[in-house]
């Protein structure tokens, strides 16, 4: 039961372009309905506390962290991957867990204080605390794609 299959080939000199889709063709003359995706994308999460990721205070803290640059590397500390965690309580207490590129970093004594001052200045934050950790150690894999692009690593 060994059937041999043959593929037929037809040579053509040209192919007619397919017809272009038109909104009028789909709507059958009716007014086009509003795009459901437009409204969906404009919605903000419901019941989100300001300190939760995506909340107003949380995002303002992240924006403040993105304004702080490592003096030796032209990338902000957030995209550099030095920020391991941002926690903001409902009563406005912000805790930032961060590291530095090395324990011998020249800004090891000043960077955590700058982070604390900048985060504490964010509207909605009553107090700020910075936890400097060394585990897990920082490595370039923690950098965002934007930071890698800026550094010429991508």
């Amino acid at each position: 039961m060994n059937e041999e299959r043959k593929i037929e080939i037809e040579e053509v000199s040209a192919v007619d372009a397919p017809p272009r889709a038109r909104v009028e063709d789909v709507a059958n003359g009716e007014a086009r309905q509003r795009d459901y995706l437009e409204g969906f994308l404009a919605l903000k999460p419901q019941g989100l506390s300001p300190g939760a990721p995506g909340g107003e205070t949380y995002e303002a803290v992240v924006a403040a962290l993105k304004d702080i640059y490592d003096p030796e590397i032209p990338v902000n500390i957030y995209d550099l991957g030095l920020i391991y965690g941002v926690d903001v309580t409902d009563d406005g207490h912000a805790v930032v867990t961060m590291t530095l590129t090395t324990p011998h970093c020249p800004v090891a004594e000043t960077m955590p204080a700058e982070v604390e001052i900048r985060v504490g200045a964010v509207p909605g934050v009553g107090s700020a605390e910075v936890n400097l950790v060394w585990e897990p150690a920082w490595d370039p894999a923690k950098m965002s794609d934007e930071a890698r692009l800026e550094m010429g690593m991508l």
Side-chain angles (χ1 to χ4, degrees), residues 43-102:
L43 287 177
K44 297 290 181 194
Q46 300 297 319
L48 193 63
S49 79
E56 188 176 327
T57 306
Y58 180 90
E59 295 303 323
V61 168
V62 170
L65 293 170
K66 287 184 176 185
D67 282 341
I68 303 171
Y69 284 79
D70 186 295
E72 297 175 321
I73 305 171
V75 176
N76 69 68
I77 64 172
Y78 192 85
D79 288 333
L80 196 55
L82 298 178
I83 304 300
Y84 287 172
V86 174
D87 297 307
V88 182
T89 63
D90 289 336
D91 61 347
H93 180 68
V95 178
V96 176
T97 304
M98 67 175 292
T99 192
L100 298 172
T101 52
T102 69

Coordinates of all heavy atoms in Angstrom, one line a residue, residues 43-102:
L43 N -8.8 52.2 31.6 CA -9.3 51.9 32.9 C -8.1 51.8 33.9 O -7.0 51.2 33.6 CB -10.1 50.6 33.0 CG -11.5 50.6 32.4 CD1 -12.1 49.2 32.5 CD2 -12.3 51.6 33.2
K44 N -8.2 52.3 35.1 CA -7.3 52.1 36.2 C -7.7 50.9 37.0 O -8.9 50.7 37.1 CB -7.2 53.3 37.0 CG -6.6 54.5 36.3 CD -5.2 54.4 35.9 CE -4.7 55.6 35.2 NZ -3.4 55.4 34.6
P45 N -6.8 50.2 37.6 CA -7.2 49.1 38.5 C -8.1 49.6 39.6 O -7.9 50.6 40.2 CB -5.9 48.5 39.1 CG -4.9 49.0 38.1 CD -5.4 50.3 37.5
Q46 N -9.2 48.8 39.9 CA -10.2 49.2 40.9 C -9.7 48.7 42.3 O -9.2 47.6 42.4 CB -11.5 48.6 40.6 CG -12.1 49.1 39.3 CD -12.3 50.6 39.2 OE1 -12.8 51.2 40.2 NE2 -12.0 51.3 38.1
G47 N -9.9 49.5 43.3 CA -9.6 49.1 44.7 C -8.1 49.0 45.0 O -7.7 48.3 45.9
L48 N -7.3 49.6 44.2 CA -5.9 49.6 44.4 C -5.4 50.6 45.4 O -5.7 51.8 45.3 CB -5.2 49.8 43.0 CG -3.7 49.5 42.9 CD1 -3.5 48.0 43.1 CD2 -3.2 49.9 41.5
S49 N -4.7 50.2 46.4 CA -4.2 51.1 47.4 C -3.1 51.9 46.8 O -2.4 51.4 45.9 CB -3.8 50.4 48.7 OG -2.5 49.8 48.5
P50 N -2.9 53.2 47.2 CA -1.8 54.0 46.7 C -0.4 53.4 46.8 O 0.5 53.6 46.0 CB -1.9 55.3 47.5 CG -3.3 55.3 48.1 CD -3.7 53.9 48.2
G51 N -0.2 52.5 47.9 CA 1.1 52.0 48.1 C 1.3 50.6 47.4 O 2.4 50.1 47.4
A52 N 0.3 50.1 46.7 CA 0.5 48.8 46.0 C 1.1 49.1 44.7 O 1.0 50.2 44.1 CB -0.9 48.2 45.8
P53 N 1.8 48.1 44.1 CA 2.4 48.3 42.8 C 1.3 48.7 41.8 O 0.2 48.1 41.7 CB 2.9 46.9 42.4 CG 3.3 46.3 43.8 CD 2.2 46.8 44.7
G54 N 1.5 49.8 41.1 CA 0.5 50.4 40.2 C -0.2 51.5 40.8 O -0.8 52.3 40.2
G55 N -0.1 51.6 42.2 CA -0.8 52.7 42.9 C 0.0 54.0 42.7 O 1.2 54.0 42.4
E56 N -0.7 55.1 43.0 CA -0.1 56.4 42.8 C 1.2 56.6 43.6 O 2.2 57.1 43.1 CB -1.1 57.5 43.1 CG -0.7 58.9 42.8 CD -1.9 59.8 43.1 OE1 -3.0 59.5 42.9 OE2 -1.5 61.0 43.4
T57 N 1.2 56.3 44.9 CA 2.3 56.6 45.8 C 3.5 55.6 45.4 O 4.6 56.0 45.3 CB 2.0 56.4 47.2 OG1 0.9 57.2 47.6 CG2 3.1 56.7 48.1
Y58 N 3.2 54.4 45.1 CA 4.2 53.4 44.7 C 4.9 53.8 43.5 O 6.1 53.9 43.4 CB 3.6 52.0 44.5 CG 4.5 50.9 44.1 CD1 5.2 50.2 45.1 CD2 4.8 50.7 42.8 CE1 6.1 49.2 44.7 CE2 5.7 49.7 42.4 CZ 6.3 49.0 43.4 OH 7.2 48.0 43.0
E59 N 4.1 54.2 42.5 CA 4.7 54.6 41.2 C 5.5 55.9 41.3 O 6.5 56.1 40.7 CB 3.6 54.8 40.1 CG 2.9 53.5 39.8 CD 3.9 52.4 39.3 OE1 4.9 52.7 38.6 OE2 3.7 51.2 39.6
A60 N 5.1 56.8 42.3 CA 5.8 58.0 42.5 C 7.2 57.7 43.2 O 8.2 58.4 42.9 CB 5.0 59.0 43.4
V61 N 7.2 56.7 44.0 CA 8.5 56.3 44.7 C 9.4 55.7 43.6 O 10.6 56.1 43.6 CB 8.2 55.3 45.8 CG1 9.5 54.6 46.2 CG2 7.5 56.0 47.0
V62 N 8.9 54.9 42.7 CA 9.7 54.3 41.6 C 10.2 55.4 40.7 O 11.4 55.4 40.4 CB 8.9 53.3 40.8 CG1 9.6 52.9 39.6 CG2 8.6 52.1 41.7
A63 N 9.4 56.4 40.4 CA 9.8 57.5 39.6 C 11.0 58.3 40.3 O 11.9 58.7 39.7 CB 8.7 58.5 39.3
A64 N 10.9 58.5 41.6 CA 11.9 59.2 42.4 C 13.2 58.4 42.3 O 14.3 58.9 42.2 CB 11.5 59.4 43.8
L65 N 13.1 57.0 42.4 CA 14.3 56.2 42.3 C 14.9 56.3 40.9 O 16.2 56.2 40.8 CB 13.9 54.7 42.7 CG 13.5 54.5 44.1 CD1 13.0 53.1 44.3 CD2 14.7 54.7 45.1
K66 N 14.1 56.4 39.9 CA 14.7 56.5 38.6 C 15.3 57.9 38.3 O 16.0 58.1 37.3 CB 13.5 56.3 37.5 CG 13.1 54.9 37.5 CD 12.1 54.7 36.4 CE 11.7 53.2 36.2 NZ 10.8 52.9 35.1
D67 N 15.2 58.8 39.2 CA 15.9 60.1 39.1 C 17.3 60.1 39.8 O 18.0 61.1 39.7 CB 15.1 61.2 39.8 CG 13.9 61.7 38.9 OD1 14.0 61.4 37.7 OD2 13.0 62.3 39.4
I68 N 17.7 59.0 40.4 CA 18.9 58.9 41.1 C 19.9 58.0 40.2 O 19.6 56.9 39.9 CB 18.8 58.2 42.5 CG1 17.8 58.9 43.3 CG2 20.1 58.1 43.2 CD1 17.4 58.2 44.6
Y69 N 21.0 58.6 39.9 CA 21.9 58.0 39.0 C 23.2 57.5 39.7 O 23.7 58.2 40.7 CB 22.3 58.9 37.8 CG 21.2 59.0 36.8 CD1 20.1 59.8 37.0 CD2 21.3 58.3 35.6 CE1 19.1 59.9 36.1 CE2 20.3 58.3 34.7 CZ 19.2 59.1 34.9 OH 18.2 59.2 34.0
D70 N 23.8 56.4 39.3 CA 25.0 56.0 39.8 C 26.1 56.9 39.2 O 26.1 57.2 38.0 CB 25.3 54.5 39.3 CG 26.6 54.0 39.9 OD1 27.7 54.5 39.6 OD2 26.5 53.0 40.7
P71 N 27.0 57.5 40.1 CA 27.9 58.5 39.6 C 28.9 57.9 38.6 O 29.5 58.7 37.8 CB 28.6 59.0 40.8 CG 28.4 58.0 41.8 CD 27.1 57.3 41.5
E72 N 29.2 56.6 38.6 CA 30.1 56.0 37.7 C 29.5 55.5 36.4 O 30.2 55.2 35.4 CB 30.9 54.9 38.4 CG 31.7 55.5 39.6 CD 32.4 54.3 40.4 OE1 31.7 53.3 40.5 OE2 33.5 54.5 40.8
I73 N 28.2 55.2 36.4 CA 27.5 54.6 35.3 C 26.4 55.5 34.9 O 25.6 55.9 35.8 CB 27.0 53.2 35.7 CG1 28.2 52.3 36.3 CG2 26.3 52.5 34.6 CD1 27.7 51.0 36.9
P74 N 26.2 55.8 33.7 CA 25.1 56.8 33.3 C 23.7 56.1 33.2 O 23.0 56.3 32.3 CB 25.6 57.2 31.9 CG 26.3 56.0 31.3 CD 27.0 55.4 32.5
V75 N 23.4 55.4 34.3 CA 22.1 54.7 34.3 C 21.5 54.9 35.7 O 22.2 54.9 36.7 CB 22.3 53.2 34.0 CG1 20.9 52.5 34.1 CG2 22.8 53.0 32.6
N76 N 20.2 55.1 35.8 CA 19.6 55.3 37.1 C 19.6 54.0 37.9 O 19.7 52.9 37.3 CB 18.1 55.8 37.0 CG 17.2 54.8 36.4 OD1 16.9 53.8 37.0 ND2 16.7 55.1 35.2
I77 N 19.5 54.1 39.2 CA 19.7 53.0 40.1 C 18.6 51.9 40.0 O 18.8 50.8 40.2 CB 19.9 53.4 41.6 CG1 18.7 54.1 42.1 CG2 21.2 54.2 41.7 CD1 18.8 54.4 43.6
Y78 N 17.4 52.4 39.5 CA 16.3 51.4 39.4 C 16.6 50.5 38.2 O 16.5 49.3 38.3 CB 15.0 52.2 39.2 CG 13.8 51.3 39.4 CD1 13.2 51.0 40.6 CD2 13.2 50.8 38.2 CE1 12.1 50.2 40.7 CE2 12.0 50.0 38.3 CZ 11.5 49.7 39.6 OH 10.4 48.9 39.7
D79 N 16.9 51.1 37.0 CA 17.1 50.3 35.8 C 18.4 49.6 35.9 O 18.6 48.6 35.2 CB 17.1 51.2 34.6 CG 15.7 51.7 34.2 OD1 14.8 51.0 34.5 OD2 15.6 52.8 33.6
L80 N 19.3 50.0 36.7 CA 20.6 49.3 36.9 C 20.4 48.1 37.7 O 21.2 47.2 37.7 CB 21.6 50.3 37.7 CG 23.0 49.9 37.7 CD1 23.6 49.7 36.2 CD2 23.8 51.0 38.4
G81 N 19.2 47.9 38.4 CA 18.9 46.7 39.1 C 19.4 46.7 40.5 O 19.5 45.7 41.2
L82 N 19.7 47.9 41.0 CA 20.2 48.0 42.4 C 19.0 48.0 43.4 O 19.2 47.8 44.6 CB 21.0 49.3 42.6 CG 22.3 49.4 41.8 CD1 22.9 50.8 42.1 CD2 23.2 48.3 42.1
I83 N 17.8 48.2 43.0 CA 16.6 48.2 43.8 C 16.0 46.8 43.8 O 15.5 46.4 42.8 CB 15.6 49.3 43.4 CG1 16.2 50.7 43.3 CG2 14.4 49.3 44.3 CD1 16.8 51.2 44.6
Y84 N 16.0 46.2 45.0 CA 15.5 44.8 45.0 C 14.0 44.8 45.5 O 13.3 43.9 45.2 CB 16.3 44.0 46.0 CG 17.6 43.6 45.5 CD1 18.5 43.0 46.4 CD2 18.0 43.8 44.2 CE1 19.8 42.6 45.9 CE2 19.3 43.4 43.8 CZ 20.2 42.8 44.6 OH 21.4 42.4 44.2
G85 N 13.6 45.9 46.1 CA 12.2 45.9 46.6 C 11.7 47.3 47.0 O 12.5 48.0 47.5
V86 N 10.4 47.6 46.8 CA 9.8 48.8 47.2 C 8.5 48.4 47.9 O 7.7 47.8 47.2 CB 9.5 49.8 46.0 CG1 8.8 51.0 46.5 CG2 10.8 50.2 45.3
D87 N 8.4 48.7 49.1 CA 7.1 48.5 49.9 C 6.6 49.8 50.5 O 7.4 50.5 51.1 CB 7.4 47.5 51.0 CG 7.8 46.1 50.5 OD1 7.1 45.6 49.6 OD2 8.9 45.6 50.9
V88 N 5.4 50.1 50.2 CA 4.8 51.3 50.7 C 3.5 50.9 51.5 O 2.6 50.2 50.9 CB 4.4 52.3 49.6 CG1 3.8 53.6 50.2 CG2 5.7 52.6 48.8
T89 N 3.4 51.2 52.7 CA 2.2 50.8 53.5 C 1.1 51.8 53.3 O 1.4 52.9 52.7 CB 2.5 50.8 55.0 OG1 2.9 52.1 55.5 CG2 3.7 49.8 55.3
D90 N -0.1 51.5 53.7 CA -1.2 52.4 53.5 C -1.1 53.7 54.3 O -1.7 54.7 53.9 CB -2.5 51.7 53.9 CG -2.9 50.6 52.9 OD1 -2.5 50.7 51.7 OD2 -3.6 49.7 53.3
D91 N -0.3 53.6 55.4 CA -0.1 54.8 56.2 C 1.1 55.7 55.7 O 1.5 56.6 56.3 CB 0.0 54.5 57.7 CG 1.1 53.6 58.0 OD1 1.7 53.0 57.1 OD2 1.5 53.5 59.2
G92 N 1.7 55.3 54.6 CA 2.7 56.1 54.0 C 4.2 55.8 54.4 O 5.0 56.6 54.2
H93 N 4.4 54.6 55.0 CA 5.8 54.3 55.3 C 6.4 53.5 54.1 O 5.9 52.5 53.7 CB 5.8 53.4 56.6 CG 7.2 53.0 57.0 ND1 8.1 53.9 57.5 CD2 7.8 51.8 57.0 CE1 9.2 53.2 57.8 NE2 9.1 52.0 57.5
A94 N 7.5 54.0 53.6 CA 8.1 53.4 52.4 C 9.4 52.7 52.9 O 10.2 53.3 53.6 CB 8.4 54.4 51.4
V95 N 9.6 51.5 52.4 CA 10.8 50.7 52.7 C 11.4 50.3 51.4 O 10.7 49.7 50.6 CB 10.5 49.5 53.6 CG1 11.8 48.7 53.8 CG2 9.9 49.8 54.9
V96 N 12.6 50.7 51.1 CA 13.3 50.4 49.9 C 14.5 49.4 50.3 O 15.3 49.7 51.1 CB 13.9 51.6 49.2 CG1 14.7 51.2 48.0 CG2 12.8 52.6 48.8
T97 N 14.5 48.3 49.6 CA 15.6 47.3 49.8 C 16.5 47.4 48.6 O 16.0 47.3 47.4 CB 15.0 45.9 49.9 OG1 14.1 45.8 51.0 CG2 16.1 44.9 50.2
M98 N 17.7 47.7 48.8 CA 18.6 47.9 47.7 C 20.0 47.4 48.0 O 20.3 46.9 49.1 CB 18.8 49.4 47.4 CG 19.4 50.2 48.5 SD 19.7 52.0 48.1 CE 20.9 51.8 46.8
T99 N 20.8 47.4 46.9 CA 22.2 47.0 47.0 C 23.1 48.0 46.3 O 22.5 48.9 45.7 CB 22.4 45.5 46.5 OG1 23.7 45.1 46.9 CG2 22.3 45.4 45.0
L100 N 24.3 47.7 46.2 CA 25.2 48.5 45.4 C 26.0 47.6 44.5 O 26.0 46.4 44.7 CB 26.2 49.3 46.3 CG 25.5 50.3 47.2 CD1 26.5 50.9 48.2 CD2 24.8 51.4 46.4
T101 N 26.7 48.1 43.5 CA 27.4 47.3 42.6 C 28.5 46.4 43.3 O 28.7 45.3 42.9 CB 28.0 48.1 41.4 OG1 28.8 49.1 42.0 CG2 26.9 48.6 40.5
T102 N 29.1 47.0 44.3 CA 30.1 46.3 45.1 C 30.1 46.9 46.5 O 29.7 48.0 46.7 CB 31.6 46.4 44.5 OG1 32.0 47.8 44.7 CG2 31.7 46.0 43.1

